[in-house]
Amino acid sequence: HGFWYYEAERSFRAILAHDPNCAMAYWGLSQANYENEKRAKAFIQKAVELLKKVCLNITEHEKASLDAEIAYHDDKKEKDITKRRKNFLRAYEDLILAYPDDIEAKALLVCRRWQFMRKGIPITTYIGLDAILGEVFAKNPNHPAHHYAIHLWDDRKHEQALDSAAKLGNAAPGIAHMWHMPGHIYSKAKRYHDAVWQQQASARIDHAHMQDWFLLPDQIHNYAHNNEWLSRNFSHLGKVRASIDMAKSLLTNPRHPTLNTPEKKKASARYGRMRLIQFLEKSELWQEALETANSPWLEKLPKPEDDLSRLRLIGVAQYHHKQKAELQQTIGTIDTHLTQAQADQDQAKQKAREKAAKEKKNEKDTKAAEKKAHDQHQKKIKTFENNLTELRGYLAAMDGDLKAALTAMAKRPSNINRAPYELAFGDKSKAAETAKKQIEKNNKEAIPLAKSIYVLHQINKDAPLIKTGFDELRSFSSEIEIKSPVFARLAPIAKQFGYPDDWRQPHTPAKDLLARPKLDSLGPLHWTPPAAPSFTLPDQHNKTISLNQYHGKPLILVFYLGAGCLHCTEQLTAMADRYPDFKKEGLPILAISTDDVSDLKKSQTNYKKGNIPFPIISDFKKDIFKKYTAHDDFENEPLHGTFLIDEKGRILWSDISADPFMEIDFLIKESKRLLSLHQ
């Protein structure tokens, strides 16, 4: 019910380890793989085989549940997936009619109905589905189906799910996602204090779980989504430093080629970079922006289009610092990228023409191919052009051409408040109009509201509206960082209205909330590297080597499956060949094998260039493999593992898999990055 499919599968696998003939465990494994059709189908087929071959103690009720799942995955009898989905819903309705006390079937019916809506089958009655959930909660008020109530009403009428938002976390307190989902509802309701609390709880539970199981943050579904949303909600409350710290936290998370890179959508690295740039600008921390944009926090990305947001931040900060020559240089850099993008577009069009001619295409098809090549580059070109227009507008303002600056402002991103710039560029009327609209939105976002109050006060226009805006700001001001630039300049206005120097007001909790645990009891707010388990093991010479010997320096720790594993030999060979590169970066290597001591020398023999230049030690009993979770407990087999351990004995990075990690360049680069950020 919490969509924690990985742990759900582990639970049903534990049942099968106890009772291999439990058909309903395969039903559960199929449910736990709803988003993996091929895997779900394979599991339900196991249940089919059991039903044929084994005399099972299974009830008609359980059989009906199995039959619905079996039919859903039977694409031979019915190839049309939409029809199968509709038949599945009808089967669950029949199940509920036959067994009206089955609240699990009712909960799953609502869940699948919502999920199938996202697959093209519109929901015709939200109230009807809500009524079914009402029957579930009548029998079990704390049922985790509150999760489905939130999803059901999230994009329709969020107020309907406020009761479920208050109850869901306590319904399944060990699942981070169940604390996160109420944040959807509270954000829609603009109750950002409550949204922040929920998302903090989710982050902390995730981080505690990662510490226990040596998981990378982006291995957990929705982790990055929760924490970037948390950073936004911190910003809405005026918690400037907290929003920036959370963005930086996402950037300090370990990266992985398949999980987390700056180019990968919905990954920590991409979200963290996006939000850090946004909040530095939004909070007008111009000196910090310049320093951060030229630091490991915001490294230069290989593709100019990916690096553009960093360059734009530099340009905006240079304008605010009156660094005209530097701004001209930044504009020149972006202009060079634009010229290259235009050349790439021309080249792509030329290649499309040549290919069409070679294939003897007609004129219509040739033009279509050219247009496709043109369109593939046009979005990138337009983005470069818009950013150049904006930055040249700031340059024009520095030269006193305010009309050109105002014209350029039309290209400014819509999520940034324009009013202060319109005021600076001399259009008081437009600035007042923009500020007024922002106040009237009443969206309870502290920074845009504070900017609008300041702009109207500078223009000396509409004092009642300024007072209304300030009173609104004070109503949710408990977390505002009052000395931050955007809020510090409100001090004279507060004095004019007779407010105290600290004009913030305490937060009054809503009356519809239930008891909540203390946040600190759930885990750390930011990802925290776990301590590496200690060990003392013999090498091929029966000399003991311990982890403590490496204290004070980083270490690459490799778990491999003995000299008989060809993939392991490939990894050790690759690392031995590149050992000078590891050594240059101060990264010693230690390999732990499943071989006993007498067989360790075979790994050395497998290396054709002499002796492997790093120690190899034996964990024949696989005790250390298990401590580092490089072990499949169900198959009772060791797994390949590669770890980066820092000088303090903490695990900064890991890869645990059925295959050894072979991307040596990535490992060296990421190790260097993480060690610099986690000092």
Side-chain angles (χ1 to χ4, degrees), residues 486-637:
V486 173
F487 302 109
R489 63 185 177 218
L490 299 183
I493 309 174
K495 187 175 182 180
Q496 180 180 319
F497 290 139
Y499 301 143
D501 290 343
D502 187 347
W503 44 263
R504 296 172 296 182
Q505 294 180 317
H507 174 63
T508 303
K511 294 180 180 180
D512 60 355
L513 299 173
L514 302 181
R516 290 167 162 175
K518 291 185 179 298
L519 284 171
D520 287 345
S521 71
L522 304 178
L525 176 58
H526 302 287
W527 178 74
T528 305
S534 61
F535 58 80
T536 300
L537 295 170
D539 67 5
Q540 66 266 46
H541 308 295
N542 256 318
K543 177 184 175 183
T544 58
I545 293 180
S546 70
L547 181 61
N548 289 338
Q549 291 173 229
Y550 291 88
H551 188 74
K553 54 188 172 183
L555 170 68
I556 301 294
L557 187 63
V558 179
F559 288 83
Y560 74 101
L561 313 188
C565 172
L566 294 179
H567 291 301
C568 298
T569 299
E570 290 176 3
Q571 184 191 33
L572 291 183
T573 296
M575 297 187 88
D577 288 346
R578 296 290 302 279
Y579 190 67
D581 296 325
F582 283 97
K583 193 173 181 180
K584 180 182 176 182
E585 299 298 340
L587 295 169
I589 299 173
L590 176 64
I592 301 181
S593 173
T594 55
D595 286 331
D596 62 21
V597 173
S598 61
D599 286 332
L600 286 178
K601 60 183 178 180
K602 293 180 182 178
S603 295
Q604 291 283 7
T605 304
N606 285 340
Y607 187 53
K608 306 303 181 184
K609 301 178 182 179
N611 289 328
I612 290 177
F614 46 81
I616 299 172
I617 57 180
S618 170
D619 182 30
F620 181 65
K621 294 182 180 179
K622 299 186 274 292
D623 292 337
I624 309 306
F625 272 79
K626 292 175 182 177
K627 283 186 177 181
Y628 278 78
T629 71
H631 192 270
D632 185 328
D633 293 340
F634 291 105
E635 303 295 337
N636 195 28
E637 294 288 345

Side-chain angles (χ1 to χ4, degrees), residues 127-316:
I127 300 243
L129 293 176
D130 196 63
I132 295 173
L133 289 175
E135 294 179 12
V136 174
F137 302 142
K139 288 196 70 173
N140 180 0
N142 208 36
H143 196 284
H146 285 293
H147 183 192
Y148 307 143
I150 290 173
H151 276 298
L152 183 66
W153 292 111
D154 188 14
D155 291 324
R156 176 73 192 278
K157 194 173 179 59
H158 67 266
E159 297 90 344
Q160 293 294 114
L162 283 169
D163 181 65
S164 288
K167 294 176 178 176
L168 179 57
N170 288 318
I175 301 178
H177 187 62
M178 302 296 246
W179 293 104
H180 163 79
M181 283 307 303
H184 280 240
I185 300 303
Y186 292 132
S187 290
K188 291 282 176 65
K190 303 188 190 327
R191 289 171 51 173
Y192 295 120
H193 285 90
D194 293 324
V196 159
W197 192 96
Q198 297 292 155
Q199 289 158 342
Q200 277 201 70
S202 177
R204 291 171 183 275
I205 289 169
D206 266 341
H207 291 143
H209 182 69
M210 291 169 201
Q211 285 187 311
D212 289 342
W213 292 93
F214 305 151
L215 295 174
L216 300 184
D218 286 78
Q219 283 181 272
I220 295 182
H221 176 64
N222 262 350
Y223 166 83
H225 161 66
N226 175 80
N227 286 14
E228 80 75 29
W229 197 341
L230 171 57
S231 69
R232 279 186 283 142
N233 283 335
F234 274 144
S235 178
H236 294 337
L237 290 177
K239 298 188 71 169
V240 172
R241 186 48 51 187
S243 65
I244 289 172
D245 287 348
M246 183 52 64
K248 283 187 170 183
S249 179
L250 288 167
L251 287 169
T252 60
N253 285 346
R255 295 181 185 173
H256 191 282
T258 61
L259 298 169
N260 178 25
T261 68
E263 298 77 26
K264 189 176 179 62
K265 291 182 178 180
K266 299 183 180 180
S268 289
R270 189 178 179 92
Y271 275 140
R273 185 181 181 91
M274 181 193 313
R275 296 306 172 204
L276 180 56
I277 289 171
Q278 178 187 353
F279 297 144
L280 287 171
E281 179 180 4
K282 188 176 180 181
S283 303
E284 301 181 9
L285 300 174
W286 306 121
Q287 184 58 40
E288 185 175 346
L290 288 173
E291 293 169 358
T292 305
N294 292 288
S295 75
W297 292 110
L298 293 174
E299 76 267 35
K300 180 181 178 181
L301 298 181
K303 292 182 179 179
E305 59 270 30
D306 292 335
D307 198 47
L308 181 58
S309 59
R310 182 186 69 90
L311 288 173
R312 179 188 167 275
L313 176 67
I314 291 172
V316 176

Side-chain angles (χ1 to χ4, degrees), residues 82 235 274 351 377-378 385 414 438 471 585 664:
T82 299
S235 178
M274 181 193 313
K351 285 183 177 180
H377 291 265
Q378 190 58 32
E385 290 174 342
S414 59
Q438 179 64 52
D471 286 345
E585 299 298 340
I664 305 301

